[in-house]
Structure formats: structure tokens, C-alpha cells
């Protein structure tokens, strides 16, 4: 990635910032912590901008602008300055490195692809270390197949082989817009979206199906209202239950013969049919 004039100017400014001696760093940190001295915090941050630039440069292979990486690193640097505890007697650069790296990594994960990845610590480690481990294994004396390489990386990072395989595929290709034109003779004037098909019903078909389904539900509810209590019980047990009861079972429950149950069922079905036919006829001529 080419370094722009603005990037070079920013790097030059960062490298020209004066170093802080340990005692001066401690004094500024105390001034910020005890008195909320913004100037003290800013001096600590500016003195460590070269650290931000250095760490941002390690993430340039992900195709993101250096200036954006530095800005995100600077956010992490300010966070470190705000949280730094001088009484622990640790140099600020050691403490700030974690915050800078975390801020840049989060930015890379958010912007490298429109598909969100690296949501867990193991996935983040896989995302940022896969290329390095793969290159190291490729330089070894033993030639490994892709699957064997994935297994080695999975064991090293504590993730599944399937996760390594998926991440490897993602890192090997970039996002492609569905609006991107297809430059083939037979696809001239088309884009990728034109070739995506769906088996789902069209919106108008979905709306029609929803309306018709609701109408049929009302019709059936009205038809069932025409049945007496015994007819309703038989229809529910025979036709509406997931596992329909037999004629013998219903006869035993109702204290009648299975033939009588069949007759009542047929009479109830005729009632339902008559009501539903009248409803559909009224709808057809409405």
C-alpha cells in the first residue's frame, strides 16, 4: 500500500515528538490522575505516537489505510493514558501497547469485511495469526497438504479445523459487490445480483397466501360453529387432532357403536361442506 503525503507528514510528526524520561512520565501521569490535567495527558499521548505508528504499520497487510489505522491506535492510546496507574511503577509504553493493539485489531475486524468475524478471543487469534502460521508451516522441510496445515494451525490456536478452513477461505478472497458487472459475452449488461435466485414466493404471492389463509381460517371457524357438541367432539378427535382417534375409540368414549360414530361424522362433514361452499360462492360473486 502506497504511503500518502498526509501519512508521511503524520509519521514525521510522530517521530519528532520528544521522549519522556521515566520521572517526567510519572509526574505527568500523576498530574492527570490527581488533577485531571488534560495537558499532561496529551503530552504523554503525543510522546508515544511513534508507538502507535509502529503498531499500525504491522496491520497494513489487511488493506486498510494507514491513516485510519493510526487514528484508531491513537484512540487506544488516549484510553491507555486515561486508565494508566503510575503507582504500579510500569512504563507507560508497556501498558499502552495492549490498548493500542486492541483498538487497531477491533477496527480491522469491523472494516476488513462486511461479514462480521472474530467475535471471540479464539477467533480473533485465528484471524490475526492464520497467515503467519500458514507461511511458517509452508517454509518447513515437510510438505503439508492444506488439510494437514489446517489441523496444525487449529491445534496451535485452540480452535476447530472447520473454523480454520472457513477463515482461510475468507482471507483468501475479498468481498464482491452484488452490483458488480459481469464482463462476459453472455452476461454483458448484467450483474451478479441478476443471477441470484430464490425459491421463496414472490411478495405478492406471500401477501395473497396470507390473506387467503386468514380468510379460510375464518370460514372454517364459522363452519365449525354450526356443529352440535357431539359432532364437534367427533370432528376434533377424528379430523383436527394430530393423531386421529379410531371409530372404536370414540364409540367407547361416547357409549355408542362405531357405526353410529361414522354416521355422526359424515353428517358433520356434510354440514361443514355446505357452509364452506356457501362462503366460497358468496366470495366468488362478491
Amino acid at each position: 500500500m502506497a504511503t500518502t503525503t498526509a501519512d508521511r507528514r503524520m509519521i514525521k510528526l510522530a517521530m519528532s515528538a520528544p521522549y519522556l524520561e521515566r520521572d517526567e512520565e510519572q509526574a505527568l501521569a500523576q498530574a492527570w490522575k490527581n488533577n485531571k490535567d488534560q495537558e499532561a495527558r496529551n503530552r504523554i499521548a503525543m510522546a508515544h505516537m511513534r508507538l502507535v505508528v509502529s503498531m499500525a504499520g504491522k496491520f497494513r497487510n489487511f488493506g486498510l489505510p494507514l491513516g485510519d489505522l493510526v487514528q484508531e491506535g491513537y484512540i487506544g492510546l488516549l484510553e491507555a493514558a486515561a486508565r494508566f496507574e503510575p503507582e504500579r511503577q510500569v512504563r507507560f509504553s508497556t501498558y499502552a501497547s495492549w490498548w493500542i493493539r486492541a483498538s487497531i485489531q477491533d477496527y480491522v475486524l469491523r472494516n476488513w469485511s462486511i461479514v462480521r468475524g472474530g467475535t471471540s478471543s479464539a477467533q480473533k487469534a485465528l484471524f490475526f495469526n492464520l497467515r503467519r502460521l500458514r507461511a511458517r508451516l509452508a517454509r518447513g522441510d515437510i510438505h503439508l497438504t492444506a488439510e494437514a496445515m489446517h489441523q496444525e494451525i487449529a491445534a496451535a490456536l485452540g480452535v476447530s479445523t472447520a473454523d480454520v478452513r472457513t477463515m482461510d477461505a475468507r482471507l483468501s478472497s475479498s468481498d464482491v459487490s452484488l452490483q458488480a458487472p459481469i464482463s462476459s459475452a453472455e452476461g454483458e449488461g448484467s450483474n451478479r445480483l441478476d443471477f441470484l435466485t430464490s425459491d421463496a414466493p414472490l411478495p405478492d404471492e406471500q401477501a395473497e397466501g396470507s390473506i387467503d389463509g386468514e380468510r379460510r381460517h375464518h370460514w372454517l371457524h364459522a363452519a365449525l360453529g354450526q356443529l352440535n357438541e357431539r359432532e364437534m367432539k367427533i370432528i376434533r378427535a377424528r379430523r383436527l387432532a394430530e393423531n386421529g382417534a379410531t371409530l372404536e375409540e370414540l364409540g367407547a368414549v361416547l357409549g355408542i357403536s362405531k357405526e353410529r360414530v361414522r354416521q355422526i361424522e359424515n353428517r358433520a362433514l356434510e354440514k361443514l361442506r355446505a357452509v364452506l361452499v356457501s362462503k366460497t360462492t358468496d366470495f366468488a360473486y362478491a
Side-chain angles (χ1 to χ4, degrees):
M1 184 187 302
T3 304
T4 64
T5 303
D7 290 340
R8 288 193 293 269
R9 187 161 52 245
M10 176 181 58
I11 293 172
K12 183 178 179 180
L13 179 64
M15 294 305 174
S16 63
Y19 286 98
L20 294 177
E21 297 295 336
R22 188 184 186 94
D23 293 342
E24 186 179 8
E25 179 182 289
Q26 287 286 316
L28 291 172
Q30 290 287 357
W32 160 249
K33 182 177 180 180
N34 299 329
N35 305 318
K36 298 302 177 184
D37 187 338
Q38 295 284 345
E39 179 63 26
R41 188 196 66 171
N42 293 340
R43 283 187 59 190
I44 294 177
M46 284 305 301
H48 291 84
M49 272 301 295
R50 56 172 56 84
L51 178 62
V52 174
V53 173
S54 175
M55 297 188 72
K58 298 177 181 179
F59 293 89
R60 296 180 66 184
N61 289 334
F62 291 97
L64 298 172
L66 177 62
D68 292 349
L69 295 172
V70 171
Q71 288 181 17
E72 291 298 320
Y74 186 65
I75 293 174
L77 178 63
L78 291 178
E79 186 69 21
R83 294 173 178 266
F84 184 57
E85 298 180 0
E87 60 271 10
R88 293 183 179 273
Q89 298 299 314
V90 176
R91 289 306 300 262
F92 178 75
S93 58
T94 303
Y95 179 77
S97 296
W98 188 92
W99 286 96
I100 297 169
R101 183 183 300 107
S103 183
I104 295 176
Q105 285 181 344
D106 186 61
Y107 174 76
V108 171
L109 288 172
R110 291 197 316 267
N111 294 275
W112 180 80
S113 170
I114 60 174
V115 180
R116 179 66 169 165
T119 54
S120 67
S121 57
Q123 286 287 320
K124 289 180 181 179
L126 175 59
F127 181 87
F128 289 108
N129 292 286
L130 176 59
R131 289 173 173 170
R132 177 179 57 81
L133 292 175
R134 186 175 56 188
R136 189 178 68 184
L137 291 171
R139 290 195 300 267
D141 296 333
I142 302 175
H143 178 70
L144 297 175
T145 64
E147 184 62 22
M149 190 175 294
H150 291 162
Q151 292 174 357
E152 291 283 342
I153 295 173
L157 297 177
V159 297
S160 68
T161 306
D163 286 342
V164 176
R165 193 181 302 115
T166 301
M167 188 66 73
D168 195 13
R170 288 188 59 197
L171 291 174
S172 299
S173 59
S174 58
D175 295 337
V176 178
S177 172
L178 293 177
Q179 302 294 337
I182 297 177
S183 58
S184 62
E186 56 186 33
E188 187 175 356
S190 302
N191 55 45
R192 295 177 184 274
L193 188 61
D194 296 331
F195 293 88
L196 292 180
T197 59
S198 173
D199 297 329
L202 296 174
D204 56 339
E205 294 175 340
Q206 294 179 5
E208 183 179 354
S210 176
I211 295 172
D212 288 347
E214 185 177 352
R215 184 182 294 121
R216 293 189 187 99
H217 173 76
H218 288 308
W219 288 347
L220 180 58
H221 182 74
L224 290 172
Q226 303 299 314
L227 304 181
N228 60 42
E229 183 178 350
R230 188 160 63 169
E231 291 170 340
M232 177 68 79
K233 188 169 185 177
I234 292 174
I235 289 297
R236 286 190 182 278
R238 292 275 294 159
R239 304 288 178 167
L240 301 180
E242 185 174 350
N243 297 315
T246 64
L247 295 174
E248 290 87 349
E249 291 170 343
L250 281 175
V253 172
L254 297 174
I256 57 179
S257 67
K258 68 176 184 180
E259 178 59 26
R260 182 57 180 155
V261 174
R262 186 185 62 79
Q263 292 173 356
I264 296 173
E265 180 184 16
N266 289 339
R267 185 178 65 197
L269 290 174
E270 285 297 326
K271 284 184 179 181
L272 293 175
R273 186 176 296 111
V275 174
L276 291 175
V277 168
S278 67
K279 292 288 185 182
T280 54
T281 302
D282 293 344
F283 175 73
Y285 291 98

